[in-house]
């Protein structure tokens, strides 16, 4: 399999007047094309920092990020970033929201628009194309946000707790939807989450980070050998509980 | 799994109105009427008492004026054709003042948002200027800018500009950093962050600044007219004082009250029009 | 006298503005003439005749000091407890017509076709200016334009900033502007207008009826001030009123006092004459600010002034 | 399972300071110095230029005054003992005004919060009074309340009261309904809801109202002093204007500027003291 | 077993200018002493309304609530209510927060204070008694909120999505804590939640409500026959998944 993202010895220190905060240390990771990788770790261990570095929004204090062998120096069209909240803009219709990325990249072509329409249709939002975000349910909004990322046609998707704003049942359903979309569109995904069950149910590999400064503590390959795997199906596999408990212990969750 | 569910509460029962609901609606109606009635009663009582006390010379109508005298004064002014002219002048000055204040304030806020350095340098000055009662500058303005409409507009700007800058800048700064990050993830530049997020997201703030500015502009215009003017409601107040016509003073203040309230409502209406459109 | 000091009666006096033009009053205050009469004066600056009159009518001030026109307005409005003028202090206008260049040969006809910054419409300076212009055969509005957009405080700045051809200015600003070479006195409105009761003391009718002895004492003190000013040099007068004008230049103070003294701005006794009273009303009428004349016998009393003159040498 | 974990970020590295951190601290320091330097330069340049232009008579010091003349004026005023008196009078009036405004405003807000009926009846009146430029009422106040300190305080209240009421009431209304519900679940009465939740939770709002009020009180006092006074900074400005002593006017405005800024900072400090105590 | 709460034919209609909203209809339910009952149901089906009615904060438009056979007419000391957020007051120390209910009920006695201290000590918060809430973690805050309810010594606890503000891992841990506390203190609990797994793991019975107007759709007895049952243990029981799916289907969750 082809390596699409390569992290070499990433280290990150935040500077502030009160001192230096070492957020990440010595992170080495390879992500393969089409793979779904999750990153879990204690609060404040540097997960978001890591995604920001991969996306090129933040320069690491040491180490390199390579995407398809090229060094990352700034935001790239190859990478799409999904944030915790959908951040659909109130003052834009769904269609206008979906086209935001293309507008910024100055590439709103008729074919790009058609692609946007195609995605909206495929994922059940075409009727809302000219509605405003306030008229959509939480799950629909999250889907619209994903489509906004997909229309710029990135190869790699970064998801930073993209589902944590949803309530539990909706979250389960959206997990299934988004997983489905990502697989259908053949994207590589790197997802950060607080939810161990979510990470296991969706990914091919779960990376556990240590407390700050975050380093890779362990890597869990998830292979439930399911046909037409979906997150919900994964949750019902007996092995699921074992993996869950194993990661739970590694994370050493405290109240 | 994609049920196209609209938001809740649309499925209210329209069919037959239940007895309870009828009772509820009636009690709401009664409450509303009572409120309206009390409001009007207060108004009627206040003006009635004023008229009565003045007629009985318990309060001195020469000093406190009197509703009937005010009506007479309005009538006289109207027949002379002067009334509308004075109202027009003052309203025009106010509108110029608050539009200018809002535009300039927003532009300066954009500059401060753009350059961290300028904003840091400007900070203590803004704080001091903000706490300064700008009214005190009136006499200086006239000396520096000269008597005339320019001095009135300057007074208005002095009063409203700093507040607008701080208000709008604050609006810029409370915008969710993640929204800005979103634009940056698409490779957006600072200018794009400004035009795609900051400005549209700040529309409510800017309109709110407009709302504050209407009020401040009225203050500026009135103070300005107190100092220099040949027409306007502020002028009438000063003139009324000069020749000891308290009726004229009271009349002008009353008209002012109404004009200011109407203009404020206009901006509130504008706000509704611009903002609630997308946010039903 | 120790005993008397303990029994000083406190009187609230509201003055229309704080000006060297009212020197005899400050002389009376500085030299203790009021205390001699058993009065203690609490002086406040009403900043405008309307506010002084309001203070008197509402009882916040016992005695008001402003133009007699305020009392005329009040009488004409039909108020029962109107105000009565009982002592006059200044005689004629205290303002000066100033131009940008000195002109020893100035004639009033020179202002024809020009603009004069004249203070707010309806204010005494503007009314007297109109009166003077008319007396000199000039019709305001037709032959000469009076700019009435500004408050008095704004006028020097506006004039120096290039507005208008002429301006009327009070002392000490007039002298200071002349000293700085910004403007030059061309004519005194006080001299040009002749005898006009310009500032006088008044109180409400009821107050006078209830407290005639206070009014008498007050008038006595004022008369003493007038006599003192009459008999002393400008330098001495300036010295006496200095405490009331702490931030004024001494030299300017003397100049101003001298100018007012020379043109007889200060009345020599507190009597407001009937002819002067009607002159004032004519000026008001011509300016369109008065619909009907008020009778001298109702609005003015000379009883206290007469008694003061009789008792004080 | 009960690890007693404190909140994050306490575990910063205090040990040895790394090279990067040193570099960072240095660059921050440099930036800070540059900002301070620019601020002072602007001040020095502005005053220097003013002094220079006035000395060279390029601008007219008679009209614009001049820093050296201002210093001389301050000195003279100080030596006469008048300076502190005028400052004292104005500051006293301001403090009375804003304390009174805040207290009264809060009390009225409590009443409006308490009674839905009163609040509904009062609403349109509040809206109109809010949009009215209260400055215009100045002349009327003097007529009704009389010339004197009372009129100045009244002016101040007129300007600050409505804003305070609306601000505080709004603060009351945005308090989480669930917090109120919490008190009710324990059987709390309306009075308990007020004292246990609404008032303490509104402390920040009330202090914020105080902050707004300081500014408005200055305006009120200055306007009041413009209209009636025998002492105070506003009086000095008016008197300076009347005798055309721009030095006196400028000096008073400058002192006012400083006094207002200091008082504002005082309230900001008070806010820090009262609020941040519990919210480190 | 003794019935402690009895709902007889509860119906509730909200009146508004736009019309009438029927929130609840015909609810009949008996809760036994010491029982842990969960209520799940679609968003807006009237769950919170039902708790408010039981607590006496809200009068139903029809039907009766009996607590220990007595009709409820207003807030009663027998019922403690835990809301979604902890609502600890910023301006009070933990101790002062915990005593809030007693203060309101004007019963701050020395013995009550001792009881508060006892609870704080038992549940690991005594060191924070004189700290302010901002210094506590989310889980600790939730425990403090529970103690605030417990010191007034109610027999019945109502929990309205009391854990939904916590993140997933913390939530699991807090579930265990609170369950433990409630059982130790021998309270009867009625809990509303969105989280099916949570409801199953904690309760003896799960009541599923229909869409608005809410009525009882089904009741699920949970009996995993565990020694020292804890929510976390329950989640690992094989039957758990079956019950989950059954309720999931009944709820008919949509995105
Ligand atoms: N801009 C910044 N400046 C200084 N410190 C920062 C900055 N951003 C993050 N940090 C610190 O770096 C650490 C890692 O932050 P980061 O947001 O990457 O963690 P995280 O794992 O995403 O946390 P969470 O689980 O809360 O989302 C945290 O301790 C945070 O306080
Ligand atoms: N005070 C009220 N006035 C009018 N309607 C109300 C009121 N409170 C709730 N409702 C309506 O009653 C219905 C039930 O509300 P309730 O809050 O009890 O539902 P819920 O099941 O707790 O919802 P959620 O799952 O969102 O917490 C909702 O449709 C809501 O819109
Ligand atoms: Mg994060
Ligand atoms: Mg609810």
């Amino acid at each position: 399999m082809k390596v699409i993202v390569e992290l070499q010895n990433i280290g990150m220190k935040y500077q502030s007047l009160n001192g230096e905060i070492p957020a990440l240390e010595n992170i080495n990771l390879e992500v393969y094309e089409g793979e779904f990788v999750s990153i879990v770790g204690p609060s404040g261990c540097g997960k978001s920092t890591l995604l920001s570095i991969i996306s090129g929004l933040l320069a690491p204090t040491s180490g390199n990020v390579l995407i398809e062998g090229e060094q990352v120096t700034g935001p790239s069209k190859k990478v799409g970033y999904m944030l915790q909240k959908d951040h659909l803009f109130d003052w834009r219709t769904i269609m206008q929201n979906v086209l935001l990325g293309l507008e910024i990249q100055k590439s709103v072509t008729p074919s790009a628009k058609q692609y946007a329409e195609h995605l909206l249709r495929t994922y059940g939002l075409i009727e809302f194309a000219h509605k405003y975000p306030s008229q959509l349910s939480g799950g629909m909004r999250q889907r619209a946000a994903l489509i906004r990322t997909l229309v710029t046609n990135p190869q790699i998707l970064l998801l930073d707790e993209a589902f944590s704003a949803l309530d539990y049942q909706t979250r389960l359903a959206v997990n299934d939807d988004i997983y489905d979309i990502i697989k259908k569109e053949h994207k590589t995904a790197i997802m950060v989450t607080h939810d161990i069950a979510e990470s296991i149910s969706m990914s091919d590999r779960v990376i556990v980070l240590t407390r700050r400064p975050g380093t890779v503590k362990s890597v869990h390959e998830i292979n439930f050998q399911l046909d037409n795997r979906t997150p919900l199906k994964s949750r019902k596999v007996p092995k699921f509980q074992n993996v869950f408990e194993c990661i739970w212990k590694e994370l050493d969750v405290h109240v | 799994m994609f049920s196209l569910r609209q938001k809740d509460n649309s499925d209210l029962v329209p069919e037959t109105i239940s007895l309870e609901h009828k009772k509820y609606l009636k009690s709401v109606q009664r409450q509303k009427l009572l409120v309206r009635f009390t409001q009007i009663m207060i108004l009627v009582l206040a003006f009635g008492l004023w008229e009565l006390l003045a007629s009985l010379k318990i309060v001195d109508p020469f000093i406190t004026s009197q509703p009937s005298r005010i009506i007479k004064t309005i009538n006289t002014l109207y027949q002379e054709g002067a009334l509308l002219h004075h109202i027009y002048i003052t309203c025009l000055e106010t509108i110029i003042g608050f539009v200018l204040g809002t535009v300039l304030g927003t532009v300066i806020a954009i500059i401060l948002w753009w350059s961290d350095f300028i904003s840091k340098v400007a900070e203590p000055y803004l704080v001091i200027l903000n706490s300064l009662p700008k009214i005190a500058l009136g006499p200086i303005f006239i000396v520096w800018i000269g008597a005339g409409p320019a001095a009135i507009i300057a007074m208005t700007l002095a009063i409203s500009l700093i507040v607008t800058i701080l208000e709008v800048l604050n609006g810029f700064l409370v915008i969710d950093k993640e929204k800005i990050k979103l634009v940056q993830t698409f490779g957006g530049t600072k200018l794009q962050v400004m035009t795609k997020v900051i400005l549209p997201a700040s529309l409510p703030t800017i309109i709110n600044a407009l709302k504050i500015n209407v009020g401040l502009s009225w203050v500026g215009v009135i103070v300005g007219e107190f100092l220099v003017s040949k027409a306007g409601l502020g002028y009438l107040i000063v003139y009324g004082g000069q020749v000891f016509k308290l009726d004229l003073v009271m009349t002008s203040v009353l008209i002012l009250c109404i004009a200011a309230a109407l203009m404020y409502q206009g901006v509130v209406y504008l706000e509704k029009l611009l903002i609630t459109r997308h946010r039903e | 006298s120790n005993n008397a000091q303990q029994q000083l009666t406190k009187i609230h006096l509201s003055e229309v503005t704080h000006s060297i033009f009212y020197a005899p009053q400050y002389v009376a205050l500085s030299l203790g003439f009021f205390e001699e009469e058993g009065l203690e004066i609490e002086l406040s600056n009403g900043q405008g005749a309307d506010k002084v009159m309001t203070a008197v009518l509402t009882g916040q001030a016992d005695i008001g000091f402003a133009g007699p026109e305020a009392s005329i307005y009040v009488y004409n409005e039909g108020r029962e407890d109107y105000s009565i003028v009982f002592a006059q202090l200044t005689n004629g206008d205290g303002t000066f017509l100033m131009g940008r260049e000195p002109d020893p040969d100035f004639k009033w006809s020179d202002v024809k076709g020009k603009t004069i910054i004249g203070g707010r419409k309806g204010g005494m300076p503007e009314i007297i200016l109109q009166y003077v212009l008319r007396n000199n055969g000039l019709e305001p509005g037709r032959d000469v334009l009076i700019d009435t957009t500004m408050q008095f405080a704004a006028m020097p700045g506006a004039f120096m900033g290039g507005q208008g051809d002429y301006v009327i200015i009070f002392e000490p600003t007039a002298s200071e502007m002349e000293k700085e070479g910004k403007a030059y006195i061309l004519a005194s409105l006080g001299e040009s207008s002749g005898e006009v009761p310009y500032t006088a003391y008044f109180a409400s009718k009821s107050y006078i009826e209830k407290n005639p002895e206070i009014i008498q004492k007050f008038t006595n003190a004022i008369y003493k001030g007038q006599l003192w000013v009459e008999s002393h040099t400008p330098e001495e007068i300036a010295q006496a009123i200095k405490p009331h004008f702490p931030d004024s230049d001494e030299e300017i103070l003397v100049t101003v006092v001298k100018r007012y003294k020379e043109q007889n701005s200060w009345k020599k006794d507190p009597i407001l004459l009937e002819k002067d009273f009607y002159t004032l009303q004519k000026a008001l009428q011509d300016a369109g600010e008065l619909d009907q004349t008020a009778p001298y016998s109702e609005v003015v009393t000379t009883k206290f002034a007469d008694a003061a003159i009789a008792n004080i040498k």
Side-chain angles (χ1 to χ4, degrees), chain A, chain B, chain C:
Chain A
M1 262 190 296
K2 199 178 130 200
V3 171
I4 187 162
V5 179
E6 194 176 347
L7 304 184
Q8 299 175 331
N9 236 328
I10 297 290
M12 180 72 204
K13 284 176 186 165
Y14 284 111
Q15 302 290 347
S16 87
L17 284 183
N18 305 322
E20 202 172 49
I21 300 172
L24 294 171
E25 226 173 68
N26 223 344
I27 303 246
N28 286 290
L29 185 66
E30 292 182 345
V31 178
Y32 300 100
E33 204 166 352
E35 201 185 11
F36 199 120
V37 172
S38 284
I39 299 172
V40 297
S43 193
C45 75
K47 302 181 294 294
S48 299
T49 303
L50 190 60
L51 285 199
S52 288
I53 289 172
I54 297 173
S55 75
L57 284 177
L58 199 66
T61 32
S62 62
N64 285 317
V65 179
L66 305 182
I67 289 184
E68 294 189 313
E70 268 175 60
Q71 185 159 345
V72 168
T73 53
S76 134
K77 291 191 190 180
K78 290 181 191 159
V79 180
Y81 203 144
M82 260 187 91
L83 304 165
Q84 178 165 357
K85 284 193 268 165
D86 54 66
H87 291 300
L88 295 175
F89 293 167
D90 277 352
W91 56 90
R92 286 170 167 250
T93 61
I94 295 304
M95 186 46 125
Q96 287 166 343
N97 263 295
V98 159
L99 294 178
L100 178 72
L102 293 173
E103 261 178 47
I104 290 169
Q105 293 168 1
K106 302 207 166 64
S107 45
V108 191
T109 59
S111 73
K113 270 191 186 166
Q114 267 175 14
Y115 182 49
E117 268 176 35
H118 162 77
L119 287 171
L120 286 174
R121 181 166 300 111
T122 316
Y123 302 114
L125 288 175
I126 193 71
E127 290 169 50
F128 292 88
H130 302 292
K131 295 262 158 74
Y132 286 94
S134 59
Q135 292 168 286
L136 270 63
S137 71
M140 289 157 81
R141 292 175 66 114
Q142 209 63 30
R143 259 184 278 143
L146 179 62
I147 294 175
R148 179 181 57 197
T149 311
L150 290 177
V151 282
T152 61
N153 216 351
Q155 287 158 270
I156 303 149
L157 278 178
L158 308 178
L159 299 102
D160 193 356
E161 308 199 25
F163 313 116
S164 63
L166 304 173
D167 69 47
Y168 188 69
Q169 263 82 250
T170 311
R171 189 165 176 163
L172 290 184
V174 172
N175 277 175
D176 265 27
D177 288 352
I178 301 272
Y179 183 85
D180 184 50
I181 298 174
I182 289 175
K183 287 297 168 192
K184 266 198 198 142
E185 308 288 334
H186 303 291
K187 304 295 177 192
T188 307
I190 305 176
M191 176 174 86
V192 159
T193 176
H194 258 111
D195 185 337
I196 303 174
E198 187 173 87
S199 72
I200 302 170
S201 68
M202 292 183 82
S203 21
D204 302 312
R205 260 195 302 167
V206 178
I207 318 280
V208 181
L209 297 187
T210 61
R211 279 183 183 283
R212 202 182 63 208
T215 51
V216 178
K217 185 171 193 174
S218 60
V219 176
H220 300 255
E221 299 271 350
I222 314 291
N223 195 346
F224 292 148
Q225 282 153 332
L226 286 167
D227 292 336
N228 295 325
R229 176 181 170 184
T230 70
L232 214 53
K233 277 192 197 162
S234 300
R235 280 174 193 256
K236 292 179 215 154
V237 173
K239 266 209 286 185
F240 184 91
Q241 273 304 327
N242 305 343
V243 183
F244 183 97
E245 244 165 280
C246 178
I247 296 178
W248 169 272
K249 277 194 195 121
E250 272 178 13
L251 276 178
D252 187 25
V253 180
H254 289 277
V255 180
Chain B
M1 231 188 205
F2 296 131
S3 87
L4 302 175
R5 179 165 63 92
Q6 292 277 46
K7 291 213 105 185
D8 238 351
N9 272 356
S10 45
D11 48 335
L12 297 173
V13 240
E15 335 142 8
T16 51
I17 297 172
S18 76
L19 204 73
E20 285 146 319
H21 192 54
K22 251 187 212 146
K23 233 162 95 189
Y24 166 78
L25 286 180
K26 216 168 152 188
S27 88
V28 168
Q29 194 59 30
R30 194 169 328 113
Q31 169 80 3
K32 219 173 175 174
L33 276 176
L34 190 62
V35 166
R36 196 40 46 92
F37 174 77
T38 315
Q39 283 167 349
I40 292 170
M41 274 314 288
I42 289 176
L43 211 65
V44 168
L45 268 181
F47 277 88
L49 208 68
W50 182 6
E51 179 71 36
L52 191 74
L53 289 179
S55 295
L56 297 177
K57 306 266 170 186
I58 296 171
V59 306
D60 189 345
F62 182 67
I63 291 180
T64 60
S65 191
Q66 193 174 351
S68 56
R69 283 163 165 239
I70 289 175
I71 292 168
K72 230 175 65 192
T73 310
I74 291 180
N75 204 21
T76 319
L77 276 176
Y78 181 72
Q79 250 138 36
E80 284 165 9
L83 185 65
L84 293 179
H85 178 66
H86 287 297
I87 296 177
Y88 167 78
I89 291 282
T90 302
C91 287
L92 187 71
E93 287 165 347
T94 308
I95 291 173
I96 294 176
F98 87 73
V99 170
L100 218 61
T102 310
V103 171
L104 263 179
T106 305
V107 168
I108 295 175
I110 290 176
I111 293 171
L112 292 178
W113 177 86
W114 197 277
S115 162
D116 203 40
F117 183 72
I118 296 180
S119 122
K120 269 190 189 142
V121 169
E123 202 199 310
Y125 292 108
L126 286 176
V127 167
I128 290 179
L129 284 180
N130 188 35
S131 55
L132 175 72
K134 266 71 68 175
I135 304 278
L137 299 178
I140 300 181
F141 273 145
I142 294 178
V143 174
W144 289 3
I145 298 170
I152 297 182
I153 301 292
M155 192 70 236
T156 309
L157 280 183
I159 289 181
S160 64
L161 198 58
I162 305 288
V163 177
T164 311
I165 294 174
L166 293 178
E167 181 81 0
V168 174
L169 184 61
N170 197 41
F172 287 175
L173 295 178
V174 298
I175 289 171
D176 197 337
K177 295 282 165 297
E178 294 279 298
K179 282 207 161 67
I180 297 170
K181 191 171 173 182
L182 174 71
V183 170
Q184 286 168 342
T185 62
F186 290 118
T189 61
K190 193 153 191 175
L191 185 64
Q192 282 176 325
V193 168
M194 188 81 226
T195 55
K196 302 279 176 198
V197 184
I198 303 287
L199 279 184
S202 299
L203 191 66
T205 317
I206 292 173
I207 296 206
N208 196 42
L210 209 65
K211 243 154 88 183
I212 299 175
N213 267 351
V214 186
L216 293 178
S217 294
W218 275 102
V219 173
V221 166
I222 294 301
V223 171
E225 286 189 356
F226 277 6
L227 292 169
V228 280
S229 59
K230 41 187 174 222
L233 295 170
Y235 168 82
L236 281 186
I237 293 175
V238 171
Y239 175 68
Q242 198 77 255
V243 298
F244 223 73
K245 288 203 172 137
L246 269 299
D247 293 339
L248 190 57
V249 175
M250 283 304 297
T251 305
S252 309
V253 170
L254 259 178
I255 293 175
L256 190 66
C257 199
I258 295 165
L262 283 181
M263 203 178 277
Y264 186 82
Q265 287 310 311
V267 176
V268 170
Y269 180 74
L270 185 78
E271 180 180 28
K272 272 214 188 103
L273 216 73
L274 284 176
I275 308 249
T276 37
R277 193 158 48 103
H278 311 327
R279 297 167 199 189
E280 323 84 82
Chain C
S1 81
N2 216 354
N3 195 24
Q5 220 156 21
Q6 274 163 8
Q7 289 174 359
L8 290 182
T9 316
K10 207 170 197 175
I11 299 292
H12 289 268
L13 170 63
S14 178
E15 60 177 354
V16 62
T17 184
H18 197 69
S19 166
I20 303 169
F21 192 36
Y22 313 137
Q25 173 184 297
Y26 302 118
V27 165
L29 283 166
S30 297
L31 301 183
F33 297 161
F34 286 104
E35 278 92 341
E36 282 172 18
E37 293 290 334
L39 298 180
E40 184 191 341
I41 301 297
E42 188 168 344
L43 186 66
S44 66
N45 186 343
Q47 294 164 18
D50 51 333
K51 287 155 206 151
V52 172
M53 178 54 80
T54 307
V56 167
L57 294 186
T58 54
Q60 290 140 20
D62 302 313
I63 295 173
F65 177 54
E69 81 281 2
S71 301
I72 296 170
Y73 290 143
V74 173
Y75 180 83
N76 280 347
E77 291 285 337
R79 193 178 197 271
E80 267 158 43
D81 190 15
Y82 55 90
S83 70
I84 294 178
V85 183
F86 60 86
Q88 182 182 345
L89 190 75
T90 61
N91 196 10
D93 198 318
T95 56
F96 298 88
L97 183 80
M98 303 190 82
R100 291 208 165 75
E101 301 297 336
D103 181 4
D105 305 324
F106 173 81
K107 303 178 299 301
W108 276 100
S109 54
D110 294 348
V111 302
K112 191 160 179 168
K114 301 281 172 57
T115 302
I116 305 174
I117 303 178
R120 285 287 202 182
K121 178 166 156 39
M124 271 315 272
E126 189 251 358
I127 286 166
I128 299 295
L129 176 63
Q130 286 198 28
Y131 178 74
V132 168
L133 288 171
R134 286 204 180 85
N135 281 351
N136 288 282
L138 298 162
E139 183 55 31
R142 192 189 64 209
D143 302 323
V144 53
L145 208 67
I146 301 180
D147 180 348
T148 58
T149 58
M150 273 162 275
Q151 254 188 5
F152 237 88
M155 286 158 52
F159 181 71
M160 283 185 252
Q163 248 169 355
D165 302 304
Y166 301 98
V167 63
I168 55 172
I169 297 283
F170 260 113
E171 289 288 17
T173 314
S175 292
E176 278 184 11
M177 285 171 81
E178 211 169 38
K179 188 175 144 206
E180 297 277 338
K182 303 293 175 197
Y184 298 90
I185 294 178
L186 301 175
S188 155
L189 276 100
E191 277 176 353
S192 312
S193 66
E195 311 255 294
V196 179
Y198 203 72
T199 16
Y201 297 93
F202 51 85
S204 71
K205 197 172 163 214
S206 56
Y207 185 86
I208 294 180
E209 276 162 11
K210 259 181 255 149
N211 307 290
E213 62 304 329
I214 289 178
I215 300 294
Q216 188 59 60
K217 287 174 183 170
F218 187 91
T219 313
N220 292 347
I222 291 298
Y223 182 47
K224 284 182 193 169
Q226 289 174 322
L227 288 178
W228 197 91
V229 165
E230 170 70 11
S231 60
H232 288 78
T233 65
E235 286 74 15
E236 288 165 326
I237 299 170
Q239 203 53 44
I241 64 173
K242 177 84 178 96
H244 290 275
F245 298 91
D247 37 31
S248 286
D249 191 73
E250 201 134 348
E251 186 191 335
I252 292 281
L253 219 53
V254 174
T255 316
V256 173
V257 169
K258 199 179 218 161
R259 197 176 336 260
Y260 281 139
K261 198 165 160 56
E262 274 167 8
Q263 68 177 47
N264 285 325
S265 285
W266 296 311
K267 230 174 159 292
K268 298 179 176 58
D269 59 57
I271 295 177
L272 201 167
L273 295 172
E274 183 162 7
K275 74 168 172 47
D276 296 349
F277 186 68
Y278 287 113
T279 308
L280 172 68
Q281 296 209 54
K282 171 137 197 333
L284 290 171
Q285 242 161 354
D286 289 347
E289 305 295 353
L290 199 65
D291 304 328
Q292 73 202 83
T293 51
Y296 177 74
S297 57
E298 297 280 327
V299 182
V300 180
T301 174
T302 56
K303 192 171 82 185
F304 303 101
D306 291 337
I309 294 168
N311 295 334
I312 295 163
K313 266 119 232 126

